[in-house]
Amino acid sequence: MLKKLSEYRRAVVTGLLVFGSIAFLGLFKESDAVNPTFQFIIVSIVFFLLVPMAYTRWILDEPFSTLGFRRGKSIRGVVAGTVCVSAGLLASYCLLHFTPFASQYSLPYIVRSDFLWFMAYELVIVAGMAFLYEVFFRGFIQLSWFKDQPIVGIAVSSIMFWGLYALSGGVVWQQAPFLLFAPLAGVVAAISGSIWYSWMASWMFLFLADVLFLMIR
Amino acid sequence: MRSFQKWQKVMKAFSGMFAVAALLFGNAAPASAGLFGSGGVPSVSSIASQIESRYHMNLNSLQSTGESMNVSGNKLMSPEVSIFFSPTDPKAGEKIMAQALPMYFSNSNESIYYTWYLKHSGCGLDNSPSSDKEDLCDRDGNGKITVEDWKIEAARIIAKNGYDNSDTSYDSDSDDDGYKARYGGDTKASTPDYCYVHDNLTGANYELSTAGGTDFDCPSGTSPACMSDTSDLDSLSLDTSSTINITTSSTGACVLAGWPICSSDKPACDTGTPRCVKDPTTSTSCGSSLTSCTTDGGSVNDKYCKHLFPDASGETTGDGDFGAKEEKFWRTDPADSSTADNGNKDEANVAGLGQETFSWNYDSGDQVGVVVEGTSMITTKHDDSSSMIMWAFSKNDCPVSIASDSIGSYVQTIQGYSVTIPTIDMDLNDCLERNLVDPTEGGQSTALKVNVTSSPDDPVNDSSGDDSGDTVAVQASLDNSSSSLSGVQFDWKVEMSKSSQFDSDASTVTDVTSIFQTLGLLGNTKGNALTSLNMNLDIPSTFSGKKLSSYLTNGVGYLRFSVKASENFSSGVVRKGNGSVIVKFVSTDNKIVAYRAAAVASGSLMHVKLPGSSGIICNDSSLERSNCSVVSNEVIGLRVNPDGLSNFSWTVNGVALTCSEDATSPDCTDGSQNEINFLPITGGVGTSYAVTVTANDVTTGKAVTLSRTFTVVNPSVSIVPADEVTVWPKILGQYKDLTGSATECTDGLCNDYSTTIMQAFAGNEIMLKAQFTPSFLASAAKKAWTVDGTSIDETSSGNVVFSVALSDDGSDRVYDVNLNASYSQSDDIRKALYDIWGVSQFDSSEFYFSDANQIEVSDPILTVDGSVNKTKFLAAIASYIPASLMFTFRIILSGILVVFVSGFLLALIPESTAVSRRS
């Protein structure tokens, strides 16, 4: 047992950290004294970004490239990203027409009504959240924890992602684009070996999905 | 004049009689022997005496008459003129009118000539004036400032009478406004002209003439004069023959008695002795003897008359010719014969014909005069119809001593007799300057009439320190201010004395102005338009080292409020005036003491009475003593200290307040008022009762008036800390005291405390109490305290006490404290209200009122003994850090913990050798 444990100590501990982080995030209760959005941002930054980076650098003593902060296979990344984005958009289109996604999904009013706010939302908030998610789920879980099992990594990261939302308040249509593209982002990350391409793909997908949504609405 | 003629007739008659008697009785001496006694020729004296006796003529009376007649020629009334001004106090720029009133002229005012002359400030006589002065004053353009310029200044104003000649063309003159003047007045046609000057000193009248120029043989530096030696009367007696015997002795000094004439080369005086004297008008020396003189001779043909009219350059006023040149000089209208529109022709106006009045715009320093030419009532000695033509000056000051050197005489045969006519060669213009009159002479224009009044009539001073004394209001008013009050400065002074005779040497008068200002009893006492002054009669018993009692007599003192008013003009003239008022005041520390009346049964009725001293209300502060808050349906007992007082008279709001033993209270007396009374409070909230009691001092009879005000309020209660060490009002912030009256505030910043929130530290006993308005309800009202809904009882001292323990987590807590109170009159008082004053029981109901407060309790930062608890310190620090920062810190710590734990686990699990080999 110990021998097995020793052999897989990295994976075990990393897994414990992942589960612990997700559990913390999922079970985290907001404080009344602090703005909820501020709380979400702080928690996300700490546990999606800083904790994986700190664990990788100081505990595992590995470079940040382990988390996917590397150039990777750029052509594969671009191609995979393009294909995945397209697939995602197609799936979104199906969602829009065959599910109540269109009626349930909404953007903040000011984002819908003001182009500058829309751009700010897409360029800052969506991009930022996508980055955090890519770092943790694709970088830390898929490329670092399951660096030797890419397929498993894609699946686990996607399941973890879905589980996080389930723990934090249930899956709602508001989160559909993120949930939809999670596995596709994993594919991009696995093919390119870098989270930069999966991040760009996620961001592009979310952006185009919002645009598509606005066009339909 | 008539008296002189009368005496002449009498003397003629007497002389005739005497002559006849002398002839008759002198020639028929023998025949008259039987008539006048036996034998001899009677003497003239005896004859005269017998005549006197026969005709009952008293010698002394005749002598007196003769003596008067001797000098009657010097007692004639010469013409005079007086000037009156309106207004009497002219201000710069104001129109002023001078009115001339001539007297003792034989012709009417309309026919005599008034030569006015006006001297402005800075236009004194000057033979070589500066160019500025010349521009200002030289009217005739001769380069000198003379009396002619003054005459021209006045004549222009008269002649043009406001006419604006700026657009007038003087190329031609078609109005025929010339006027031929006559000497002695306009009515003196075909009358011989004899012009005279009257000597006020001797009464002599000198004919203006160049004749009789006389040289008196006087040494250089002396002048010829008639001097009389002054004598002392040694004895005066009456002998048997009714003769008055006078003996005198000379003092050695002399006085001027007249001016000598030269007759037959001998100086002669009608009165006195010809002498050569230095400065004869003022000298008391008898000088040296004057024994010889020479005359140039002269005759009536040397006489002259000369008008004093102002002349245009190169022209003569009153010559009948008033051409364009003169029209232009006098600035009259060449197309209007009477530019002044007064019925006189322009030249007549310039000559001053009938110009009794002269109006001009007064300027500071202006002086004016008038010389009036007319015919006097004095006849000349010439054998014709002439009377003396004379000039009257505004101050009647034209002494012949100005030209005493030219005094002379000539002899004319009149009616067969040689008559000596005294003469003088004199320019009357030389008298004009000394006859200038200042319209403001006598200070009429400088005096401001200030009236000062005060109220009330018998103010009362409060020396007890309650500041409830009367306010004395002093008011000054001006009757003749020429400008608004904002240009008048008032300077007040307050003096105090025990006697009303402030100016008496026996009075001790103290100027208390600055002292009272320091005490805050007086406001500003100097300033423009400061017509009123208020003084609070709250003079303490001791002030500035002085005792008030030293200024009182039987409690009565006097204050004198004096004010000096001064009005300044831009020309530098200052008008001043002052006024004062004396105010009698009574000083007392007696006060109306208020009680919450108690009820007492009187048969089947309920009356009221004064309780003991424990029932005194509104006596805790000067504010309460000046204005006592009461509630409706209260019965207030009133009492003053009756020592030394009697004849009490009570009023409330000016209406008599009566109290009797029979109807109201056993403390009162039937038939008269005493020192006790009762006031039912029946009015609504806001009603004010001004109670006044007047009483007389039995020893001095002085009246003492005391007053006190009661105001009806809604009863209210406030929850206040009983001990501000344990609980205190919450500070809401600070405000800046703009009034400067809050002396307890540092740098003018005062703390603003909440009235509904208090603060306290946990672990202490919080002590609260109720504060009632009116304060006397504290003992009468029912109270119910709750803290967070839980009832809490008062302690015996009337406070509520509860403790708050320290919190487990150091968090603040809030406690709600409520106080419900109710108050109502006792049934006995309510019945008394009904029995005495008819107040229905349904109108005297209960009052309900309450107050609520919150107390924020927090754990103290510091322990009582001063030591610091580290945990609490950190907690206090933490409590002040923003929550977001703390949250972030906690999340980061959580992340670090997670990483640390994972690192710990990784370290715990040994590394596989295969893995380590692979790596």
Side-chain angles (χ1 to χ4, degrees):
Chain A
M1 179 66 180
L2 186 62
K3 189 177 178 180
K4 277 289 183 184
L5 196 61
S6 298
E7 187 178 346
Y8 295 103
R9 67 193 262 273
R10 183 184 179 279
V12 169
V13 174
T14 303
L16 287 173
L17 178 62
V18 169
F19 281 108
S21 299
I22 291 176
F24 183 90
L25 288 168
L27 299 174
F28 173 76
K29 286 194 182 302
E30 291 176 353
S31 169
D32 295 332
V34 185
N35 186 287
T37 304
F38 177 79
Q39 292 179 53
F40 177 73
I41 293 172
I42 295 298
V43 170
S44 299
I45 290 173
V46 170
F47 283 92
F48 285 161
L49 180 65
L50 298 181
V51 166
M53 290 175 71
Y55 175 77
T56 301
R57 191 71 184 91
W58 293 323
I59 305 301
L60 297 179
D61 197 22
E62 293 175 2
F64 290 135
S65 58
T66 311
L67 291 175
F69 289 106
R70 54 180 177 237
R71 186 162 179 257
K73 303 176 179 72
S74 55
I75 296 173
R76 288 188 180 184
V78 172
V79 171
T82 304
V83 170
C84 289
V85 169
S86 303
L89 288 174
L90 184 63
S92 298
Y93 183 80
C94 295
L95 278 178
L96 283 171
H97 282 281
F98 300 107
T99 65
F101 172 69
S103 61
Q104 295 296 323
Y105 184 72
S106 65
L107 289 171
Y109 171 77
I110 196 169
V111 173
R112 292 198 313 268
S113 58
D114 191 291
F115 176 73
L116 289 178
W117 274 109
F118 173 77
M119 292 305 295
Y121 172 77
E122 296 297 333
L123 291 175
V124 177
I125 296 174
V126 171
M129 291 313 302
F131 177 73
L132 292 174
Y133 291 150
E134 291 308 308
V135 169
F136 186 80
F137 292 97
R138 256 58 72 184
F140 188 51
I141 296 177
Q142 182 177 320
L143 297 180
S144 177
W145 187 18
F146 291 97
K147 62 180 180 179
D148 298 328
Q149 295 93 24
I151 304 299
V152 176
I154 293 171
V156 171
S157 66
S158 300
I159 293 169
M160 288 281 181
F161 187 74
W162 294 337
L164 171 63
Y165 275 101
L167 276 174
S168 60
V171 177
V172 293
W173 283 109
Q174 193 63 36
Q175 298 144 358
F178 283 96
L179 297 173
L180 177 66
F181 199 77
L184 296 172
V187 170
V188 174
I191 292 174
S192 65
S194 169
I195 62 170
W196 297 118
Y197 305 102
S198 63
W199 175 45
M200 290 306 295
S202 296
W203 184 15
M204 190 58 61
F205 168 75
L206 293 169
F207 175 74
L208 293 175
D210 288 337
V211 171
L212 183 65
F213 166 76
L214 289 175
M215 286 170 62
I216 292 174
R217 286 290 289 271
Chain B
M1 181 64 199
R2 288 183 180 169
S3 62
F4 175 67
Q5 291 173 339
K6 177 183 174 184
W7 283 114
Q8 275 187 323
K9 289 180 183 174
V10 168
M11 290 314 299
K12 281 183 183 175
F14 183 73
S15 302
M17 285 171 57
F18 183 73
V20 170
L23 285 171
L24 287 176
F25 302 116
N27 290 332
S32 68
L35 182 63
F36 293 108
S38 59
V41 176
S43 67
V44 174
S45 297
S46 65
I47 293 171
S49 177
Q50 289 179 18
I51 290 173
E52 291 168 8
S53 170
R54 182 169 183 161
Y55 293 103
H56 290 186
M57 297 169 74
N58 181 266
L59 178 61
N60 290 329
S61 299
L62 285 174
Q63 284 178 339
S64 176
T65 302
E67 289 161 357
S68 297
M69 184 196 68
N70 291 340
V71 296
S72 63
N74 298 336
K75 310 296 182 185
L76 303 174
M77 304 305 291
S78 64
E80 295 176 358
V81 66
S82 303
I83 300 182
F84 296 91
F85 295 96
S86 177
T88 57
D89 54 345
K91 271 68 74 175
E94 189 179 12
K95 201 82 168 181
I96 181 174
M97 183 181 76
Q99 169 93 37
L101 292 178
M103 292 185 293
Y104 308 122
F105 282 102
S106 65
N107 32 9
S108 65
N109 291 347
E110 293 79 22
S111 64
I112 52 182
Y113 302 108
Y114 300 78
T115 302
W116 293 91
Y117 52 102
L118 175 62
K119 172 180 169 288
H120 295 299
S121 175
C123 289
L125 298 177
D126 194 344
N127 285 329
S128 55
S130 64
S131 59
D132 289 340
K133 186 175 181 180
E134 209 174 310
D135 293 338
L136 187 68
C137 308
D138 186 12
R139 294 287 179 264
D140 55 8
N142 63 353
K144 298 177 185 177
I145 312 301
T146 64
V147 295
E148 292 301 316
D149 297 308
W150 301 347
K151 293 181 198 175
I152 293 169
E153 177 70 6
R156 273 183 180 161
I157 295 173
I158 294 170
K160 67 179 204 167
N161 194 23
Y163 171 71
D164 181 9
N165 71 324
S166 54
D167 296 327
T168 303
S169 170
Y170 291 98
D171 294 337
S172 63
D173 175 34
S174 59
D175 56 1
D176 187 26
D177 53 0
Y179 169 76
K180 181 70 177 161
R182 301 188 180 97
Y183 291 109
D186 189 48
T187 55
K188 296 300 173 185
S190 303
T191 307
D193 302 325
Y194 294 95
C195 295
Y196 282 78
V197 175
H198 179 74
D199 183 11
N200 289 336
L201 179 64
T202 61
N205 296 306
Y206 294 87
E207 186 173 292
L208 285 174
S209 173
T210 56
T214 304
D215 288 326
F216 291 93
D217 189 17
C218 275
S220 172
T222 62
S223 300
C226 299
M227 305 298 287
S228 294
D229 59 346
T230 57
S231 303
D232 287 333
L233 180 65
D234 291 333
S235 66
L236 179 69
S237 61
L238 183 67
D239 60 17
T240 54
S241 62
S242 301
T243 302
I244 298 173
N245 297 314
I246 301 171
T247 58
T248 60
S249 60
S250 173
T251 62
C254 290
V255 292
L256 180 66
W259 307 103
I261 60 173
C262 192
S263 177
S264 304
D265 294 337
K266 291 282 184 193
C269 289
D270 290 335
T271 309
T273 308
R275 307 288 290 179
C276 292
V277 182
K278 183 179 177 184
D279 298 327
T281 55
T282 57
S283 176
T284 57
S285 167
C286 297
S288 58
S289 175
L290 172 61
T291 57
S292 63
C293 58
T294 56
T295 63
D296 295 336
S299 68
V300 65
N301 297 323
D302 297 321
K303 70 168 178 69
Y304 67 88
C305 286
K306 185 183 173 195
H307 293 299
L308 299 183
F309 307 147
D311 296 324
S313 302
E315 300 289 338
T316 303
T317 299
D319 59 356
D321 177 33
F322 200 73
K325 184 182 175 187
E326 283 186 283
E327 295 268 13
K328 185 176 182 180
F329 182 85
W330 296 109
R331 297 171 188 174
T332 52
D333 186 358
D336 187 353
S337 61
S338 177
T339 306
D341 292 327
N342 58 359
N344 286 345
K345 292 186 177 180
D346 284 343
E347 190 168 21
N349 286 329
V350 174
L353 176 65
Q355 295 293 333
E356 295 177 88
T357 61
F358 171 53
S359 296
W360 80 103
N361 285 73
Y362 175 78
D363 194 9
S364 178
D366 280 355
Q367 289 178 301
V368 72
V370 67
V371 54
V372 183
E373 176 190 331
T375 304
S376 71
M377 296 180 181
I378 307 171
T379 58
T380 65
K381 292 180 181 178
H382 298 285
D383 187 12
D384 54 30
S385 66
S386 63
S387 295
M388 294 183 184
I389 297 170
M390 302 179 92
W391 282 260
F393 294 85
S394 34
K395 283 188 175 178
N396 201 26
D397 182 10
C398 192
V400 296
S401 59
I402 293 176
S404 60
D405 291 344
S406 67
I407 292 175
S409 64
Y410 66 88
V411 178
Q412 185 182 11
T413 302
I414 300 172
Q415 295 283 332
Y417 295 95
S418 295
V419 177
T420 301
I421 308 293
T423 64
I424 189 168
D425 184 9
M426 181 176 174
D427 184 358
L428 297 179
N429 284 310
D430 294 337
C431 295
L432 295 190
E433 186 181 15
R434 59 176 63 215
N435 283 280
L436 284 167
V437 177
D438 184 348
T440 64
E441 258 180 23
Q444 299 97 318
S445 70
T446 61
L448 280 172
K449 295 177 186 173
V450 184
N451 298 315
V452 185
T453 57
S454 72
S455 69
D457 291 330
D458 294 307
V460 176
N461 176 67
D462 177 19
S463 58
S464 68
D466 277 352
D467 296 342
S468 60
D470 290 336
T471 298
V472 177
V474 185
Q475 185 74 34
S477 62
L478 302 181
D479 288 345
N480 59 342
S481 169
S482 62
S483 59
S484 67
L485 290 177
S486 59
V488 181
Q489 188 186 56
F490 292 82
D491 188 0
W492 292 88
K493 183 171 75 171
V494 182
E495 297 164 299
M496 190 157 67
S497 167
K498 62 167 35 177
S499 161
S500 61
Q501 305 299 323
F502 276 79
D503 295 326
S504 165
D505 292 337
S507 288
T508 302
V509 178
T510 303
D511 185 346
V512 290
T513 312
S514 58
I515 297 172
F516 285 176
Q517 280 183 303
T518 305
L519 292 175
L521 306 179
L522 271 178
N524 284 339
T525 57
K526 193 169 184 176
N528 281 16
L530 194 65
T531 56
S532 62
L533 185 72
N534 291 336
M535 177 178 159
N536 298 326
L537 276 186
D538 299 318
I539 308 169
S541 51
T542 306
F543 60 94
S544 218
K546 300 176 175 51
K547 287 193 173 180
L548 177 63
S549 56
S550 64
Y551 296 96
L552 304 174
T553 304
N554 294 324
V556 177
Y558 294 88
L559 290 167
R560 180 167 70 176
F561 295 85
S562 310
V563 64
K564 291 181 184 175
S566 60
E567 187 179 23
N568 293 309
F569 296 91
S570 59
S571 56
V573 174
V574 178
R575 297 179 67 213
K576 296 183 180 179
N578 54 67
S580 65
V581 65
I582 295 175
V583 177
K584 184 179 83 171
F585 69 94
V586 175
S587 184
T588 177
D589 55 2
N590 200 349
K591 293 191 186 303
I592 299 175
V593 181
Y595 297 81
R596 196 159 160 261
V600 61
S602 175
S604 62
L605 300 175
M606 199 59 74
H607 285 177
V608 289
K609 68 171 184 177
L610 286 184
S613 58
S614 60
I616 295 177
I617 62 172
C618 297
N619 198 38
D620 294 333
S621 66
S622 60
L623 182 64
E624 277 193 338
R625 282 190 285 271
S626 65
N627 191 344
C628 180
S629 297
V630 293
V631 294
S632 289
N633 304 314
E634 198 68 58
V635 179
I636 306 296
L638 306 164
R639 184 179 182 277
V640 294
N641 187 346
D643 294 343
L645 298 176
S646 63
N647 300 327
F648 295 89
S649 171
W650 292 85
T651 62
V652 58
N653 291 343
V655 179
L657 178 67
T658 56
C659 171
S660 66
E661 183 180 1
D662 184 44
T664 313
S665 168
D667 293 330
C668 298
T669 52
D670 289 327
S672 65
Q673 301 294 296
N674 62 10
E675 72 274 15
I676 294 173
N677 214 319
F678 292 88
L679 174 68
I681 306 298
T682 57
V685 173
T687 304
S688 194
Y689 296 89
V691 176
T692 304
V693 59
T694 304
N696 290 332
D697 188 300
V698 295
T699 54
T700 64
K702 73 172 191 287
V704 174
T705 302
L706 304 173
S707 60
R708 191 158 183 183
T709 305
F710 298 88
T711 304
V712 182
V713 298
N714 261 331
S716 62
V717 66
S718 300
I719 300 173
V720 296
D723 179 8
E724 290 205 358
V725 173
T726 57
V727 61
W728 55 90
K730 184 177 182 180
I731 292 181
L732 299 176
Q734 288 187 316
Y735 65 93
K736 191 170 177 59
D737 176 41
L738 299 177
T739 63
S741 59
T743 56
E744 67 277 10
C745 300
T746 307
D747 297 330
L749 289 175
C750 302
N751 292 331
D752 186 15
Y753 295 99
S754 171
T755 56
T756 57
I757 302 175
M758 286 185 264
Q759 291 177 316
F761 284 131
N764 295 321
E765 277 194 341
I766 296 173
M767 202 181 304
L768 304 170
K769 65 178 180 181
Q771 188 174 69
F772 286 89
T773 301
S775 58
F776 61 81
L777 293 180
S779 57
K782 296 176 187 171
K783 289 163 279 188
W785 292 87
T786 58
V787 178
D788 277 352
T790 304
S791 295
I792 185 168
D793 295 327
E794 277 187 340
T795 63
S796 57
S797 55
N799 301 329
V800 290
V801 181
F802 63 96
S803 302
V804 178
L806 295 170
S807 65
D808 298 329
D809 55 357
S811 60
D812 294 349
R813 289 144 290 167
V814 176
Y815 293 87
D816 292 322
V817 181
N818 286 277
L819 171 60
N820 294 313
S822 64
Y823 171 72
S824 65
Q825 301 295 343
S826 66
D827 291 343
D828 290 340
I829 287 292
R830 293 171 68 196
K831 189 163 189 308
L833 281 169
Y834 176 73
D835 290 339
I836 303 173
W837 293 289
V839 177
S840 167
Q841 66 181 81
F842 300 107
D843 294 334
S844 58
S845 56
E846 266 186 329
F847 295 99
Y848 295 95
F849 43 98
S850 62
D851 190 29
N853 237 300
Q854 279 189 333
I855 301 178
E856 295 176 349
V857 180
S858 55
D859 289 343
I861 297 173
L862 301 175
T863 57
V864 176
D865 62 359
S867 62
V868 178
N869 185 319
K870 189 175 180 181
T871 305
K872 303 290 188 220
F873 178 77
L874 291 175
I877 294 292
S879 67
Y880 286 100
I881 295 175
S884 56
L885 193 60
M886 285 302 295
F887 172 82
T888 305
F889 181 66
R890 286 201 295 268
I891 295 299
I892 292 174
L893 282 180
S894 302
I896 292 173
L897 180 64
V898 168
V899 172
F900 176 76
V901 169
S902 58
F904 178 72
L905 286 175
L906 194 66
L908 278 181
I909 301 172
E911 191 175 358
S912 162
T913 53
V915 170
S916 63
R917 262 191 252 119
R918 279 200 299 272
S919 66

